[in-house]
Amino acid sequence: HDINYIGLTGAIAAANYSFPANLLGDFAGGGMLCALGIMMALYERNSSGLGQVIDVAMVDGVAHIATFVYRMRAAGAWTDIPGNNVLDNGAPWYGTHLCKDGKYVAVGCIEPHFYNMLLEGMDLDDKTLPKQMDKDKWPELRARLAAEFLKRNRDEWCEIFSPTGKYADACLSPVLSLGEVSTHPHMASRGIIRKGPGGEKDVIPGPAPRLSRTPGVPSPMGKGVVPRDG
């Protein structure tokens, strides 16, 4: 199964041993790269006039997607210790935090000026906190931030860090449930969640990427995405 394949690639370890449903193996490393391989072969055929076999494997695809992490590890910027890296929820200022109402916010303020804006919006004095890049003090910093986030509900934090407000560049956003996505202002403005032809419960993301002349349209449940005629 999906989880076994991505476990072989190092991707689960790189994600701090969390399993991203079957999005990474089945769909990204398998199906999507298979589709890309077909498109590459068709494009190459235009110049050579020849066909070729496309060898697709989830382990190949997921490992390829994880190239960025492999490169960071080779450069000494990533360790095999889980939860000890900036992008695997190790850094307290790049990850998720639980709020008072049991919901979560996502924080991604890597750059110092964005991080300082986060602290300002949380009414925290950086002089009373460990330094942002002092990895040995990350557990202490995480505990301080975690305690502060528990003082307000998720949407209260999102109001403070509104995209149109004073602290917009602090890189804080809500972690939405699937049922909340369609009503979020940004997601709604993009029309990302649409009603499919399968009835009231058939609410699905629209096709992506979006083509200007022949955009895809949602198809009945279980039949994937079909191109629009034209």
Side-chain angles (χ1 to χ4, degrees):
H1 283 286
D2 176 286
I3 190 171
N4 307 116
Y5 293 119
I6 68 175
L8 293 176
T9 68
I12 290 181
N16 198 2
Y17 295 94
S18 62
F19 175 57
N22 62 334
L23 304 178
L24 183 56
D26 283 344
F27 299 131
M32 189 168 291
L33 285 187
C34 177
L36 177 61
I38 293 171
M39 296 300 294
M40 291 166 60
L42 289 173
Y43 184 78
E44 191 277 336
R45 187 191 61 181
N46 290 334
S47 58
S48 70
L50 301 174
Q52 57 187 305
V53 174
I54 304 166
D55 184 351
V56 180
M58 276 189 277
V59 286
D60 295 4
V62 175
H64 178 67
I65 291 171
T67 297
F68 171 72
V69 178
Y70 276 93
R71 292 293 192 191
M72 288 187 68
R73 184 177 182 273
W78 190 282
T79 75
D80 288 340
I81 302 173
N84 194 49
N85 303 287
V86 170
L87 301 179
D88 68 349
N89 212 31
W93 32 264
Y94 199 96
T96 58
H97 284 278
L98 178 66
C99 301
K100 182 179 180 180
D101 56 357
K103 298 179 180 180
Y104 286 81
V105 291
V107 178
C109 48
I110 297 176
E111 296 80 359
H113 53 292
F114 294 159
Y115 173 71
N116 290 335
M117 190 169 290
L118 175 74
L119 298 185
E120 185 178 343
M122 297 180 74
D123 198 23
L124 292 172
D125 184 354
D126 66 326
K127 296 183 179 62
T128 68
L129 298 170
K131 297 297 183 183
Q132 179 188 7
M133 294 298 178
D134 186 350
K135 186 179 286 191
D136 292 337
K137 294 293 183 67
W138 277 359
E140 179 184 343
L141 181 56
R142 176 175 291 280
R144 291 286 302 279
L145 293 180
E148 197 65 26
F149 277 116
L150 285 171
K151 294 180 180 180
R152 298 179 188 268
N153 293 335
R154 182 197 67 184
D155 292 347
E156 291 177 308
W157 285 117
C158 291
E159 181 65 26
I160 292 173
F161 294 100
S162 166
T164 59
K166 180 180 179 182
Y167 306 113
D169 288 338
C171 306
L172 182 145
S173 62
V175 175
L176 301 175
S177 68
L178 295 179
E180 294 176 303
V181 173
S182 64
T183 59
H184 184 270
H186 177 73
M187 305 298 279
S189 71
R190 293 282 297 167
I192 291 173
I193 304 301
R194 310 177 186 181
K195 288 187 176 181
E200 184 177 344
K201 293 184 178 180
D202 187 14
V203 181
I204 56 175
R210 305 181 186 193
L211 304 183
S212 61
R213 186 171 55 80
T214 57
V217 295
S219 61
M221 286 187 288
K223 295 186 181 298
V225 172
V226 296
R228 179 180 295 165
D229 293 336

